[in-house]
Amino acid sequence: MTDENERPTPEDDAARLGLVVVGEAAALHAGDDGALDASEENIRETIDSMVDEPLTPRQEEVVEQLAAAGGTLTAGLSGALASKTGGKVEDVLAGAARSVVWQQRLAAERAAVQPEGGHGVGSERSDHGEREDAGGQQRRRDGDGRDEA
C-alpha cells in the first residue's frame, strides 16, 4: 500500500475497506462468534484509522453497518458462486481478496505514470469512453443496450 510517512491514497483506503468487507464475509461463512466479533472490531479499527476527525456515534454506527452489509452481500454472493461452480466459498473469498489487492496495485501503477493535473484513477476511461475495471467485467453494449458479441 503506502509508506508509513505517506498519507494513504483514496485507492489505498478503498482497498483496506474492501479487505475488511471480505473479512466480514469470511467470518459470516465461518459461523463462529469469535470470528464475527473480531471482524466487527476490525471494521471499527479500520474506520477509526482512516478518519481525520472522530465520527459522531451515529456516523460510526452507519459506517459500521455499511461495512457489515457489504460483508453480508459478499458472503451471499460468494456462497452462491461457489454453489453454482461447485467450488469452495473460501476459494471465492480468497479470489475476491486478490482482486481487491490487484485493483489497488493497478491504481497505484496508473497514478505513478499519470501526468500532474490528469484525471484521478477512478475516472480512467477506456478508448470507448467507459470506465475500466480491474476484473474486466464490463460488457460492451450496442445502441439498443444489448450485449455485443
Side-chain angles (χ1 to χ4, degrees):
M1 303 232 167
T2 61
D3 261 346
E4 287 182 30
N5 299 331
E6 292 181 39
R7 182 177 179 163
T9 66
E11 293 81 14
D12 293 332
D13 287 344
R16 286 179 59 203
L17 289 170
L19 293 173
V20 164
V21 167
V22 172
E24 177 75 0
L28 287 166
H29 271 289
D32 175 17
D33 287 340
L36 285 170
D37 291 343
S39 177
E40 290 172 9
E41 182 61 27
N42 189 32
I43 290 170
R44 277 189 222 85
E45 288 175 3
T46 301
I47 298 303
D48 286 346
S49 72
M50 291 180 171
V51 296
D52 296 329
E53 297 180 21
L55 298 176
T56 67
R58 173 83 173 127
Q59 290 170 327
E60 187 173 326
E61 183 180 334
V62 167
V63 171
E64 288 173 10
Q65 290 301 313
L66 283 170
T72 300
L73 288 169
T74 302
L77 292 172
S78 61
L81 181 59
S83 176
K84 180 85 172 165
T85 62
K88 296 179 182 176
V89 173
E90 297 82 11
D91 294 339
V92 174
L93 291 171
R98 283 191 303 273
S99 292
V100 168
V101 172
W102 189 86
Q103 177 67 38
Q104 190 277 332
R105 287 181 183 156
L106 178 63
E109 288 173 8
R110 285 183 178 163
V113 298
Q114 187 172 338
E116 285 296 319
H119 297 294
V121 173
S123 63
E124 285 291 321
R125 304 284 175 180
S126 69
D127 292 339
H128 304 285
E130 298 173 347
R131 283 182 65 133
E132 294 182 30
D133 66 318
Q137 298 145 355
Q138 291 179 351
R139 296 183 183 203
R140 306 260 186 251
R141 303 205 186 264
D142 64 17
D144 295 326
R146 291 179 281 207
D147 290 345
E148 289 182 357

